[in-house]
Amino acid sequence: MSESSLSPVPAAAEPLLTILYQDQYLVAVDKPSGMLVHRSFIDKHETRFVLQSLRDQLGCHVYPVHRLDRPTSGVLVFALSPEIARLLSQQIEAGQWRKGYLAIVRGVVKTAGTLDYPLKEQLDAIADKKARSDKAAQSAVTRYLPLQQVELPFAVSRYPTSRYSLVALQPLTGRKHQLRRHLAHLRHPIVGDTSHGDGKHNAFFRQQFDSDRLLLCAVMLQLPHPVSGVTLQLQASLAELAALCRQFGWPDNIAYYQQVFQQFLE
């Protein structure tokens, strides 16, 4: 067979984003962990972004109205017009969105509570190099609810066993890295957090469970539809958290967590 008769091998298609909800006004997707929402000069080498991938997938422009950190998975909403983007942004400013997260954290979280702990604005050395660094700490409030615990027969630090908790979280404010910083303040850092977490436990999860992501997932979002006013309840998958839940003997059915958050977010 001659070289001229060989057909070129087609490039592998990018995996499609999972669409959780779509109508003529907005679309919600289940953002994978490790994927940037939009292009950023903080990571110039990244080539795949939720914003561009969704535009290509739908064949139309989409407009971001909020964001998730790169390592966080879960519900992410885009408007399909600038007008709807403005309405959704106004809802966020008015505190009309209710967000529910799941996180696996170090240690045993014994009781539910609300952490009201102001946070200094975190500035990026490149993106925020012209921003003021002397701003006062901003109000930051997070509700938390312990759901499950596990004790593993491994000495990760100075104790003969290691204990972890699955917690439900509701941020009542929207500060940068708020959940990660608040859990670290409570001495229960989120597993996989390379900025505010515990390196020994992060390494243990990589080696023992092949888990190298931040174990934080935005599983639930409630908001009024910007046109009809009907309450939308958007629900993401548990992603990689599901496999860990099974190994730890925790519920891995999203319906269980949907019921949890219906009560928790009221």
Side-chain angles (χ1 to χ4, degrees):
M1 183 180 294
S2 66
E3 291 185 7
S4 60
S5 64
L6 294 175
S7 300
V9 177
E14 291 185 346
L16 296 177
L17 293 164
T18 298
I19 294 179
L20 304 174
Y21 176 87
Q22 183 180 358
D23 62 18
Q24 67 190 95
Y25 304 107
L26 59 93
V27 59
V29 301
D30 192 349
K31 173 193 164 311
S33 173
M35 194 172 181
L36 287 168
V37 174
H38 48 70
R39 190 177 301 277
S40 170
F41 51 78
I42 296 173
D43 192 338
K44 298 180 180 178
H45 305 290
E46 187 56 66
T47 59
R48 188 167 184 249
F49 313 92
V50 179
L51 179 64
Q52 188 59 55
S53 295
L54 187 58
R55 283 178 177 174
D56 294 343
Q57 186 170 327
L58 299 181
C60 65
H61 282 285
V62 296
Y63 302 84
V65 292
H66 70 127
R67 65 185 298 275
L68 292 175
D69 292 339
R70 180 177 186 167
T72 305
S73 64
V75 184
L76 188 62
V77 174
F78 293 86
L80 296 181
S81 71
E83 294 76 21
I84 296 299
R86 177 179 54 82
L87 292 175
L88 291 172
S89 296
Q90 289 174 351
Q91 290 181 354
I92 296 173
E93 289 294 323
Q96 294 180 291
W97 285 24
R98 295 183 178 181
K99 302 176 182 179
Y101 290 74
L102 285 175
I104 297 178
V105 305
R106 185 193 70 189
V108 173
V109 181
K110 296 180 180 179
T111 59
T114 299
L115 178 62
D116 185 346
Y117 180 71
L119 296 171
K120 289 278 290 184
E121 184 178 6
Q122 285 192 327
L123 301 178
D124 182 83
I126 300 176
D128 301 316
K129 62 182 179 181
K130 294 183 179 180
R132 289 178 53 187
S133 60
D134 59 345
K135 292 182 182 179
Q138 299 171 301
S139 172
V141 183
T142 300
R143 296 178 63 228
Y144 56 93
L145 173 70
L147 301 177
Q148 305 285 336
Q149 290 84 35
V150 68
E151 184 169 3
L152 304 177
F154 296 95
V156 176
S157 57
R158 63 182 183 273
Y159 300 105
T161 61
S162 298
R163 300 187 295 177
Y164 303 95
S165 297
L166 179 69
V167 295
L169 302 167
Q170 182 190 13
L172 300 182
T173 51
R175 307 307 174 201
K176 186 176 182 180
H177 298 171
Q178 175 176 316
L179 297 180
R180 297 159 67 176
R181 297 169 72 187
H182 269 182
L183 269 296
H185 177 75
L186 290 171
R187 301 290 191 270
H188 294 293
I190 300 174
V191 176
D193 188 344
T194 57
S195 300
H196 311 282
D198 186 315
K200 291 182 179 179
H201 289 268
N202 295 348
F204 169 67
F205 267 68
R206 285 195 300 269
Q207 297 161 6
Q208 187 67 30
F209 303 110
D210 193 27
S211 174
D212 60 359
R213 63 157 289 186
L214 176 73
L215 298 182
L216 176 66
C217 182
V219 296
M220 192 72 64
L221 174 60
Q222 296 175 357
L223 70 151
H225 192 281
V227 176
S228 70
V230 173
T231 298
L232 298 178
Q233 182 159 291
L234 308 176
Q235 176 181 302
S237 68
L238 297 178
E240 296 94 332
L241 270 65
L244 290 167
C245 286
R246 288 191 290 271
Q247 291 190 67
F248 297 160
W250 299 342
D252 64 350
N253 187 342
I254 190 62
Y256 165 81
Y257 296 102
Q258 181 181 12
Q259 185 175 11
V260 166
F261 280 107
Q262 282 178 340
Q263 298 175 357
F264 180 56
L265 297 181
E266 287 182 354

